[in-house]
Amino acid sequence: PNDDAGYDALCDGLLPRGELAIWEVMTSNERYLPQDLGLCYDWVEIKNISNEAVDLGNYTLTDDPDSPLLFKLPAVTLQPGATHIIFLSGNTALGVNHAPFALNAAKDRLLLYGEKLVDYVYLQNIPVGMSYGRTEGIGGFSYMEPSPKNPNRAGYREISGMPTSQYAPGVYSGETFTLELTAKGDIYY
């Protein structure tokens, strides 16, 4: 259902399936973590959610489920609770922390593999200047103020109800009339 209980059920299905989690993703980055020449790139923050140290070199990252080995993460030991940033610049010549793909803020996906799929996130309509991340204890993602290398801030999600109008659904022809729609929040058409 399109309500809080339905969203909570969806989030339960999004829990990571291993020692690592995709913790925060930023697309359309214009100011966070500038690299050489002040250029900013998409990035993902990977977090060790286990109680043991984890070698990132045993994992891969991709935006294409048909190519799970697209980018092998660098051989870095990540301590429990620690995070590591990977830049999604599309240019591996920029360094070991640069993946050979970038993301599309309008619609994309990001998948993290170990021996099998460990975690994933679907990205859709992420506003410029915002990231999409997890907060402690939940499987779902929220839009939030970016916080690379720092704890994620509280985010927001919005579940809207169906708009209502003064007319029943259907096809109308012949006469002109004014249609008024009401809904919680803004209506775009």
Side-chain angles (χ1 to χ4, degrees):
N2 192 18
D3 57 16
D4 287 340
Y7 184 76
D8 290 341
L10 172 69
C11 290
D12 288 344
L14 298 176
L15 293 172
R17 300 176 182 105
E19 303 167 312
L20 297 178
I22 297 171
W23 204 246
E24 185 176 7
V25 181
M26 182 158 197
T27 59
S28 305
N29 182 18
E30 296 178 342
R31 68 175 220 185
Y32 293 90
L33 304 171
Q35 300 296 291
D36 292 340
L37 304 175
L39 297 175
C40 295
Y41 301 101
D42 297 351
W43 51 264
V44 59
E45 187 173 31
I46 306 293
K47 184 173 184 175
N48 180 350
I49 58 172
S50 76
N51 294 322
E52 304 289 330
V54 175
D55 180 5
L56 291 182
N58 295 324
Y59 293 85
T60 61
L61 196 61
T62 185
D63 63 344
D64 181 358
D66 293 329
S67 298
L69 304 177
L70 185 59
F71 177 66
K72 184 175 171 77
L73 295 178
V76 172
T77 300
L78 200 57
Q79 297 301 318
T83 63
H84 188 80
I85 302 285
I86 299 294
F87 294 97
L88 308 173
S89 64
N91 186 354
T92 56
L94 295 174
V96 296
N97 287 314
H98 285 263
F101 61 91
L103 296 174
N104 184 329
K107 186 175 182 183
D108 214 334
R109 59 193 161 199
L110 188 61
L111 303 102
L112 178 65
Y113 287 90
E115 293 179 12
K116 58 184 180 179
L117 180 64
V118 174
D119 200 11
Y120 66 94
V121 60
Y122 291 105
L123 309 164
Q124 189 168 354
N125 300 323
I126 299 174
V128 173
M130 298 293 291
S131 67
Y132 198 53
R134 287 186 161 106
T135 54
E136 299 297 329
I138 65 168
F141 287 80
S142 300
Y143 299 103
M144 59 183 58
E145 183 74 25
S147 59
K149 302 181 182 179
N150 291 297
N152 288 356
R153 299 177 178 143
Y156 68 92
R157 65 175 167 87
E158 188 171 304
I159 299 174
S160 62
M162 292 294 294
T164 58
S165 80
Q166 75 273 32
Y167 295 101
V171 177
Y172 294 84
S173 64
E175 65 181 74
T176 302
F177 61 91
T178 300
L179 176 67
E180 292 183 25
L181 296 175
T182 36
K184 179 181 177 184
D186 296 330
I187 298 172
Y188 297 93
Y189 61 93

